[in-house]
Amino acid sequence: MSKKQELRSEETKKSIITAAYELFAVKGYEAVTMREIAKQAGCSHTTIYIYFKDKEVLLYELSKPALLELKSTLKAKLEDHKLPADERIKAISRHFIDFCLMNHNMYLLIIMTQSSRVDQEPQIQPELNTLRIELFSILNQALQEYLQLSSDDKDKLLSCSRIYFYMLQGIVSTYHLSEESSEDLFKRLDRTFEEAFEVLLTGFRYREGMHD
Amino acid sequence: MSKKQELRSEETKKSIITAAYELFAVKGYEAVTMREIAKQAGCSHTTIYIYFKDKEVLLYELSKPALLELKSTLKAKLEDHKLPADERIKAISRHFIDFCLMNHNMYLLIIMTQSSRVDQEPQIQPELNTLRIELFSILNQALQEYLQLSSDDKDKLLSCSRIYFYMLQGIVSTYHLSEESSEDLFKRLDRTFEEAFEVLLTGFRYREGMHD
Amino acid sequence: MSKKQELRSEETKKSIITAAYELFAVKGYEAVTMREIAKQAGCSHTTIYIYFKDKEVLLYELSKPALLELKSTLKAKLEDHKLPADERIKAISRHFIDFCLMNHNMYLLIIMTQSSRVDQEPQIQPELNTLRIELFSILNQALQEYLQLSSDDKDKLLSCSRIYFYMLQGIVSTYHLSEESSEDLFKRLDRTFEEAFEVLLTGFRYREGMHD
Amino acid sequence: MSKKQELRSEETKKSIITAAYELFAVKGYEAVTMREIAKQAGCSHTTIYIYFKDKEVLLYELSKPALLELKSTLKAKLEDHKLPADERIKAISRHFIDFCLMNHNMYLLIIMTQSSRVDQEPQIQPELNTLRIELFSILNQALQEYLQLSSDDKDKLLSCSRIYFYMLQGIVSTYHLSEESSEDLFKRLDRTFEEAFEVLLTGFRYREGMHD
DNA sequence: CATGAATGAGGGTTCATTCAT
DNA sequence: GATGAATGAACCCTCATTCAT
């Protein structure tokens, strides 16, 4: 009895999430209307409000599972010591970019947004913020393990991780509105991305040496 | 008579552009109202439509002079051979970032947007596109002169300039929604930005050497 | 089986009535949501529709028992000849006001409404109307017994009872949206209310005399 | 040029006010929609927002002139010492009731509302509140002049004016939703209203005497 | 009997834009 | 050339109510 209903409900919710996901990704959060989402999800726009308090909550709930998965995947890669440190950080970077490009637009807004819009919005996503911080800490750690900096060199690490993050952010934001599929992009640019990180890591190394 | 009128007309147009420029920069394109612009420009909102077909055209026309100035400044820096190549490219990068952060929000959309919004809008900015290409070609040239690549190495140059552009894009997009003023950001991060480019250039150099 | 079910059913209905009663009293009919009622009643909002055709019917059915009780209480006071006539009418008035203030908002709408809303609603409460008439007839009778008018003086009585009713209505409607509890109001204004009726009754008496 | 336009504008505003006035009076503030008002006013619902910031402001602006006129009329009657004190207060009362019945519903909400809804609404009508206070002070003064109370008897006056106000409020609220026109009501009940005040004033007088 | 799912109608409000002057 | 008046489309969201289970 209730099972069938539950199933149907779950389906509806999923279809809303899927619709919102796609629309947010293509047109951006602000430009998408609840009615549009409903139409694509095949339900009334009021139905959305059964499952999500408002548009903002829809965005956040939409983001959480994907981000959680990203986190656990990155963590696994970080802790997989079968690979050397440089391979580890490259794998992590690659996966991170891949994720961002696949979930273009929406997650970018969430992940990349750092200090933005602090002024207006009442900071409703503390959970997401925590997640974001954790994600970056994984990247940081991978970088530290690669650079083998002594713990004194906090400044050096901070500076390097900033630079490293600029590159990630740059790659993702360059292509995040592109029409090309994430797959195609990787086919075309995978080597460039890899090179980018190699250049960076090489640069880090040599500059470090120069300072000694 | 007609002269006086033309003058007045030109003034009105200018005041609209100035107002829109400031408001777009501060609040972002979407968040700014035609009425707001009109108010700040000291005219009626209908007057704007005399000079600009619609809000979008206003944005584009608004961007042109600023971009033209940027271009000529960058070109001057490129051709100023009093400085060594590495200083030249660093100066160019720095100015580019500065410009983007000062005109955050609006010009970013225009400069950074590559293939974006292809889905919806009928690509109305061919002029701007040309400008954008010219801007990037300046960056490219500066890079080439620094790397002293032979003209055979087109692939190498393309790859390097992409990577270089990622870094620029990364820095700008990281801070483009920040509340900090461009000035404050530079005060705080100028050294990091410089380091970023040094790391990159160092990386380019050493990797190049390694391949030899 | 059926007995148990009936019992449960009756319970649900009662809990709905109780919930609606309290909510209507506190927030007013319009401001209360069916879902709110359901929540407080501990059932689904659709369940309400099993027992009550719509929100309006719920209000009417809700009112009946309370009004019936009011009627029987007032009647008892009217027939309690241990008290003198002036005490009787004062007790009745006081109780009437008390009731209205305690059940402010909802019963007011019903009790006080005379020819209201004729424009829109198809007058669905004939039962309630009868009750209302009975209530006022009690007040009338108490007044008549106090004034000891001969049955010829129908006009005089009508006029007096109208005036008397204005005072009741005035007191109740003055405070019916007040935040103060009925208790607090009485603590603060009981003496004023009593005085109001005394003034009125005194006025009736002396004017009567003057006419003789 | 501009004159014709101004005229048209003024007309539109007036038609909105008239429409809102009538609808608020008939159906009550809450039940009336902006679209309804616009329809009856013969304009788009957005046009209303040109002239009034929002629905609430519409109500307030709507009320102000009528209330101001009421105030000046009552004041004139108060200061017209050609009439004896009892005639003065009766004329004032009558006019007050007349006004309330003619402007039934809306002005009632404003005039009669004393401490109501203090909890929710952010008290946006300080101007109106001042007006209300002034109106009641006129009634008070008329009563004081009639009763010729010494200034020591503040309590006595307060109590009397409260009771007097209950009667006013009672009469108005009894008929304020009636379908009968204010004119018809007066034809039918003018004598009763007058009697009500006579009874009250008589009562005040005699009770006072009794206390001496 | 009871319920969760779903909806249509409608709420106030905003905004880019057009039209008559 | 410039403007105030006016509008339609669209925004997010709420609610009483119905339907399938």
Side-chain angles (χ1 to χ4, degrees):
Chain A
M1 310 259 160
S2 123
K3 221 174 177 180
K4 210 172 186 176
Q5 222 171 22
E6 254 177 58
L7 212 80
R8 190 152 144 59
S9 168
E10 207 58 35
E11 253 174 53
T12 306
K13 186 169 182 177
K14 230 170 243 171
S15 74
I16 291 170
I17 288 186
T18 308
Y21 180 97
E22 286 168 8
L23 286 169
F24 284 163
V26 171
K27 308 180 63 177
Y29 174 74
E30 300 270 348
V32 174
T33 75
M34 294 302 259
R35 279 176 160 84
E36 241 178 317
I37 296 170
K39 201 172 184 180
Q40 180 144 336
C43 68
S44 161
H45 66 279
T46 55
T47 301
I48 301 177
Y49 289 93
I50 297 172
Y51 297 100
F52 307 94
K53 198 189 139 277
D54 57 29
K55 201 183 172 188
E56 207 165 6
V57 166
L58 174 55
L59 174 63
Y60 292 144
E61 295 224 5
L62 191 50
S63 318
K64 235 183 351 195
L67 289 174
L68 283 172
E69 205 205 299
L70 173 64
K71 177 185 148 191
S72 74
T73 305
L74 292 189
K75 208 163 195 175
K77 283 185 193 300
L78 176 67
E79 287 160 358
D80 175 12
H81 285 256
K82 279 176 297 190
L83 291 174
D86 63 325
E87 290 300 323
R88 281 214 303 278
I89 193 172
K90 274 157 71 176
I92 286 173
S93 307
R94 202 203 127 105
H95 186 79
F96 185 83
I97 290 173
D98 198 23
F99 172 86
C100 290
L101 291 182
M102 281 205 49
N103 305 281
H104 46 139
N105 210 324
M106 173 180 48
Y107 297 106
L108 277 181
L109 278 175
I110 293 169
I111 297 178
M112 299 305 174
T113 305
Q114 273 177 300
S115 53
S116 72
R117 300 202 199 175
V118 182
D119 50 321
Q120 6 198 30
E121 314 206 9
Q123 213 74 337
I124 348 167
Q125 18 36 343
E127 252 183 301
L128 283 181
N129 207 39
T130 310
L131 245 171
R132 213 157 55 191
I133 290 168
E134 289 172 339
L135 284 170
F136 291 129
S137 120
I138 291 173
L139 288 172
N140 250 3
Q141 213 173 320
L143 192 59
Q144 183 172 20
E145 290 177 10
Y146 170 76
L147 293 174
Q148 292 182 296
L149 292 170
S150 76
S151 54
D152 309 343
D153 268 336
K154 286 204 171 168
D155 282 1
K156 176 81 186 157
L157 179 62
L158 178 60
S159 156
C160 285
S161 70
R162 268 193 186 129
I163 292 169
Y164 195 85
F165 178 73
Y166 296 152
M167 183 59 76
L168 280 174
Q169 167 92 343
I171 289 173
V172 174
S173 65
T174 298
Y175 299 110
H176 104 262
L177 287 172
S178 161
E179 276 197 302
E180 257 179 298
S181 73
S182 154
E183 246 176 298
D184 288 353
L185 275 171
F186 264 99
K187 231 179 257 166
R188 188 160 68 86
L189 295 166
D190 197 9
R191 185 68 204 111
T192 305
F193 296 163
E194 194 165 9
E195 230 173 278
F197 292 110
E198 284 169 3
V199 166
L200 223 50
L201 297 178
T202 307
F204 286 147
R205 278 260 153 117
Y206 276 85
R207 276 181 49 79
E208 197 181 354
M210 277 152 45
H211 288 178
D212 289 347
Chain B
M1 304 273 155
S2 142
K3 222 178 179 177
K4 212 175 187 177
Q5 230 175 16
E6 251 177 62
L7 211 79
R8 192 155 137 55
S9 167
E10 206 54 37
E11 254 174 53
T12 306
K13 185 168 182 178
K14 229 171 239 172
S15 72
I16 291 170
I17 286 185
T18 307
Y21 179 97
E22 287 168 8
L23 287 170
F24 285 164
V26 172
K27 310 179 60 175
Y29 175 74
E30 300 271 347
V32 174
T33 295
M34 292 302 259
R35 282 180 150 82
E36 248 177 310
I37 297 170
K39 200 172 182 181
Q40 180 145 336
C43 69
S44 162
H45 59 281
T46 53
T47 303
I48 301 178
Y49 289 92
I50 297 169
Y51 297 101
F52 308 94
K53 192 187 141 275
D54 57 29
K55 202 182 170 188
E56 204 168 5
V57 166
L58 172 57
L59 174 63
Y60 291 141
E61 296 223 6
L62 185 51
S63 315
K64 238 183 347 196
L67 290 175
L68 282 172
E69 206 204 301
L70 173 64
K71 177 183 147 190
S72 75
T73 306
L74 292 190
K75 205 162 196 173
K77 283 186 194 298
L78 176 67
E79 286 160 358
D80 175 11
H81 284 259
K82 280 176 295 189
L83 292 174
D86 64 327
E87 290 300 323
R88 281 211 304 276
I89 192 170
K90 273 157 68 175
I92 286 173
S93 306
R94 204 202 125 105
H95 186 80
F96 184 83
I97 290 173
D98 199 24
F99 173 86
C100 289
L101 290 182
M102 280 204 51
N103 304 281
H104 54 133
N105 222 326
M106 172 180 49
Y107 297 106
L108 277 181
L109 279 174
I110 293 169
I111 298 178
M112 299 305 174
T113 304
Q114 277 178 294
S115 52
S116 73
R117 298 205 202 171
V118 184
D119 50 320
Q120 11 195 28
E121 317 204 10
Q123 212 74 339
I124 351 171
Q125 21 28 352
E127 254 183 301
L128 283 181
N129 206 39
T130 310
L131 243 171
R132 213 157 53 194
I133 290 168
E134 289 171 338
L135 283 170
F136 291 129
S137 119
I138 292 172
L139 288 172
N140 251 1
Q141 214 172 320
L143 192 60
Q144 182 172 20
E145 290 177 10
Y146 169 76
L147 293 175
Q148 293 184 295
L149 290 170
S150 75
S151 53
D152 311 344
D153 266 338
K154 285 203 172 168
D155 281 0
K156 175 81 185 158
L157 178 63
L158 178 60
S159 155
C160 284
S161 71
R162 268 194 187 130
I163 292 169
Y164 195 84
F165 177 73
Y166 296 153
M167 182 59 78
L168 281 174
Q169 167 92 342
I171 288 173
V172 174
S173 65
T174 296
Y175 299 109
H176 113 262
L177 289 172
S178 161
E179 278 197 296
E180 260 180 294
S181 73
S182 153
E183 245 176 298
D184 288 352
L185 275 171
F186 265 100
K187 232 178 256 168
R188 189 161 68 84
L189 294 167
D190 198 7
R191 185 68 202 109
T192 304
F193 296 164
E194 194 164 10
E195 229 173 280
F197 293 110
E198 284 168 5
V199 166
L200 224 50
L201 298 177
T202 308
F204 287 147
R205 278 262 154 116
Y206 278 84
R207 275 181 50 78
E208 198 180 355
M210 276 152 43
H211 289 182
D212 290 350
Chain C
M1 303 274 155
S2 144
K3 221 176 179 178
K4 212 172 181 178
Q5 230 172 18
E6 254 176 58
L7 211 81
R8 192 155 137 57
S9 167
E10 206 56 34
E11 254 174 53
T12 306
K13 186 169 182 178
K14 228 170 243 172
S15 72
I16 291 170
I17 287 185
T18 307
Y21 179 97
E22 287 167 8
L23 287 169
F24 285 164
V26 171
K27 308 179 61 176
Y29 176 73
E30 300 272 348
V32 174
T33 295
M34 294 300 258
R35 281 180 150 81
E36 248 177 310
I37 298 169
K39 201 173 182 180
Q40 180 145 337
C43 69
S44 163
H45 60 282
T46 53
T47 303
I48 301 178
Y49 289 92
I50 297 169
Y51 297 103
F52 307 95
K53 193 187 141 274
D54 57 30
K55 202 183 171 188
E56 205 169 6
V57 166
L58 173 57
L59 173 63
Y60 291 142
E61 296 223 6
L62 184 51
S63 315
K64 242 185 340 197
L67 289 174
L68 283 171
E69 205 203 300
L70 173 63
K71 177 183 148 193
S72 74
T73 306
L74 292 189
K75 208 163 196 173
K77 283 184 194 300
L78 176 67
E79 287 161 357
D80 174 11
H81 285 258
K82 278 176 296 188
L83 292 173
D86 64 326
E87 290 300 324
R88 281 214 303 279
I89 192 172
K90 273 156 70 176
I92 285 173
S93 305
R94 204 202 125 106
H95 187 80
F96 184 83
I97 291 173
D98 199 23
F99 174 86
C100 290
L101 290 182
M102 281 204 48
N103 304 280
H104 53 134
N105 223 321
M106 172 181 48
Y107 297 107
L108 278 180
L109 279 174
I110 293 169
I111 296 178
M112 299 305 174
T113 305
Q114 276 177 295
S115 52
S116 72
R117 299 205 199 171
V118 184
D119 50 319
Q120 9 195 30
E121 316 204 10
Q123 212 76 340
I124 351 168
Q125 23 25 354
E127 255 182 299
L128 283 182
N129 207 39
T130 310
L131 243 172
R132 216 158 51 192
I133 290 168
E134 289 172 339
L135 282 170
F136 291 131
S137 121
I138 291 173
L139 288 171
N140 252 1
Q141 216 173 319
L143 192 59
Q144 183 173 20
E145 290 177 11
Y146 169 76
L147 293 174
Q148 292 183 297
L149 291 170
S150 74
S151 53
D152 310 344
D153 268 338
K154 286 205 170 165
D155 281 1
K156 176 80 186 159
L157 178 62
L158 179 60
S159 155
C160 285
S161 70
R162 267 191 187 132
I163 292 169
Y164 196 84
F165 178 72
Y166 296 153
M167 183 59 77
L168 281 174
Q169 168 91 344
I171 290 173
V172 175
S173 65
T174 297
Y175 299 109
H176 113 263
L177 288 173
S178 160
E179 276 197 300
E180 258 179 296
S181 73
S182 153
E183 245 175 297
D184 289 351
L185 275 170
F186 265 100
K187 230 178 258 167
R188 190 161 68 85
L189 295 166
D190 198 7
R191 186 67 203 110
T192 304
F193 296 164
E194 194 165 9
E195 231 173 278
F197 292 110
E198 285 169 3
V199 166
L200 224 49
L201 298 177
T202 306
F204 286 147
R205 278 262 153 115
Y206 277 85
R207 275 183 48 82
E208 199 181 352
M210 277 152 45
H211 288 181
D212 289 349
Chain D
M1 312 263 159
S2 123
K3 222 177 181 179
K4 212 172 187 177
Q5 222 172 24
E6 254 177 61
L7 212 81
R8 190 153 144 59
S9 168
E10 207 57 36
E11 253 174 53
T12 304
K13 186 170 181 176
K14 231 171 239 171
S15 73
I16 290 170
I17 287 185
T18 308
Y21 181 97
E22 287 168 8
L23 286 169
F24 284 164
V26 171
K27 308 181 62 176
Y29 174 74
E30 300 270 348
V32 174
T33 74
M34 295 301 260
R35 284 170 164 85
E36 243 178 314
I37 296 170
K39 202 172 183 179
Q40 179 143 336
C43 68
S44 162
H45 65 278
T46 55
T47 302
I48 301 177
Y49 288 92
I50 297 171
Y51 297 100
F52 307 95
K53 196 189 139 278
D54 56 29
K55 201 184 171 187
E56 206 165 8
V57 166
L58 174 55
L59 174 63
Y60 293 144
E61 296 225 3
L62 192 48
S63 318
K64 235 182 356 196
L67 289 174
L68 282 171
E69 205 205 302
L70 173 64
K71 177 184 148 191
S72 75
T73 306
L74 292 189
K75 207 163 195 172
K77 284 185 195 300
L78 176 67
E79 287 160 357
D80 175 12
H81 284 258
K82 279 175 295 190
L83 292 174
D86 63 327
E87 291 300 324
R88 282 214 303 278
I89 192 172
K90 273 156 69 175
I92 287 174
S93 305
R94 203 202 125 103
H95 187 81
F96 184 84
I97 290 172
D98 199 24
F99 171 86
C100 289
L101 291 182
M102 282 204 49
N103 304 281
H104 46 138
N105 209 324
M106 173 181 49
Y107 297 109
L108 276 181
L109 277 174
I110 293 168
I111 297 177
M112 299 305 174
T113 302
Q114 275 177 296
S115 53
S116 71
R117 300 202 200 176
V118 184
D119 50 321
Q120 6 197 31
E121 315 206 10
Q123 213 72 338
I124 348 169
Q125 15 42 340
E127 251 183 303
L128 284 182
N129 206 39
T130 309
L131 246 171
R132 214 158 54 193
I133 290 168
E134 290 172 339
L135 284 170
F136 291 131
S137 120
I138 291 173
L139 288 172
N140 250 2
Q141 214 172 320
L143 191 60
Q144 184 172 18
E145 290 177 9
Y146 169 75
L147 293 175
Q148 293 183 293
L149 291 170
S150 77
S151 54
D152 309 343
D153 268 337
K154 285 205 170 166
D155 282 359
K156 175 83 186 156
L157 179 63
L158 178 60
S159 156
C160 284
S161 70
R162 267 193 187 130
I163 291 168
Y164 195 84
F165 178 73
Y166 295 153
M167 183 59 78
L168 280 173
Q169 167 93 343
I171 290 173
V172 174
S173 64
T174 297
Y175 300 110
H176 103 264
L177 287 173
S178 160
E179 277 197 301
E180 257 180 296
S181 74
S182 154
E183 245 175 298
D184 289 352
L185 275 171
F186 264 99
K187 233 178 255 165
R188 189 160 68 85
L189 294 167
D190 198 8
R191 186 67 203 110
T192 305
F193 295 163
E194 194 165 10
E195 231 172 277
F197 291 111
E198 284 168 4
V199 165
L200 224 49
L201 298 177
T202 307
F204 286 146
R205 278 262 152 117
Y206 277 84
R207 277 182 47 81
E208 198 180 356
M210 276 153 45
H211 287 182
D212 291 349

